[in-house]
Amino acid sequence: MCRCNRWLAGLLLTFSSLLNAAPQTVVVMTSYPEEMMTRVEEGFAQAQPEYRLHILWRQGFDALPYLMQPKQGGVDVYWAPSPGNFTRLAKAGSWQPLGISLEGLPAQIGGLSLRDEQALYQATELAGYGFAINATTLNELGVTMPRDWPDLLDPRLRGRVALPDPSRVGFAPVLLDIVLRAYGWERGWAIWSELSANARLVTRGGTLVSDEVTSGRAAVGLSIDFFVASAKANGEPVDFVYPAHGGLNPAFIAVTAHSKAPDGARAFAQYLLSETGQALLADADIRKLPVRPSVYAQLPEHYHDPFVAAGRGAYDYGKGSSRERLALISSLFTQWLSLPHDALNTLWARLHAAEAAGHDVSAIRQLLITPPLAAEQVEEQALLALYAARQDSGMTHEPASDLDELGRREITWQFQAARQRAEAARLLDGLGL
């Protein structure tokens, strides 16, 4: 009997030891692709074998309502290139202090903050916005290499620019805002109106933009550097240009307020921000821009260093771009430039023909470049609050409806833009064009 008890006690001790040795599960919500997360999981497992990652995939517009539910759906750490979500969730009290060492990590790059003031979330890497280029197609069109946004207004690029639709592609609203911040509200929208007339709207992300460029269907695509780097690494005929007025999109990491594995969540965050984790994120198969400046010394000479570029003033963009503002300008683009895209393209083609014929078309151009929302109105808090409420419910693609206040405003923009197009068409008719 005693030997039996001793055997049972030993078995229980062995079982308890096995349980204690089992890796603790850390639930990570992210939008990063599986192939990237597999590399990250492998690296983290080697560095911290006492933890095991469980990946929960959600795009940014789905992640927000998920993380705002009770207990945050069991998520321990959120890691994603969706800056607006981190700000919104911080206001909702959804994060606990990150609680890791940030030594060697700058708090800012150019005009972009790399962490919030309370250190609830921290940038882990950056992605640069710019132009995917098919040099062969550009040469065939007789167009020189574009260096900044106005270079894309060349009429020879008509139909040969791939533009991600801001209402459907998560990173695209920042593209709009980079130009609006760099050139001002009126000049910025003038660029977007004419540029959109040169473009074909792409309704899925950066991979499809790269496909348009590598196939030669587009000479230029508006994209993010890592999409293009991946295509180039696979032998595709594509290059990437960081424009003179550029922008960076940070990926942040945060530990949820209701995390059941906060130590594991912090270990994962610390790994991503370590020299090892940062070097992994700059791997040729991932191609992110590290936020630890010291890592660039071990990267290839041609690897873009945003900290050096920021020293030259390339990344002043970043201040004041709230998720509400991005949602507003995305909607304005949709109501004014996207929904009537074919009609606008025709009007711009007629205008360019009139200019080439020597006609004075300044009044017609003004009709086509004037947005149906004034600069001062974009700061209206009541309007921004309506977009904040819409985003809290996740992204929708439903057309504007007069059943709610925001829909009525959007329909007003459509109506005003339609009147301006009609007047532009009338004036062009008068020129016989």
Side-chain angles (χ1 to χ4, degrees), residues 70-91:
K71 304 297 183 182
Q72 297 172 280
V75 174
D76 295 304
V77 58
Y78 180 44
W79 180 39
S82 302
N85 283 356
F86 287 86
T87 304
R88 175 66 182 91
L89 289 161
K91 292 178 180 178

Side-chain angles (χ1 to χ4, degrees), residues 201-214:
L201 294 179
V202 177
T203 57
R204 297 201 311 276
T207 303
L208 191 58
V209 171
S210 296
D211 290 344
E212 289 290 304
V213 175
T214 57

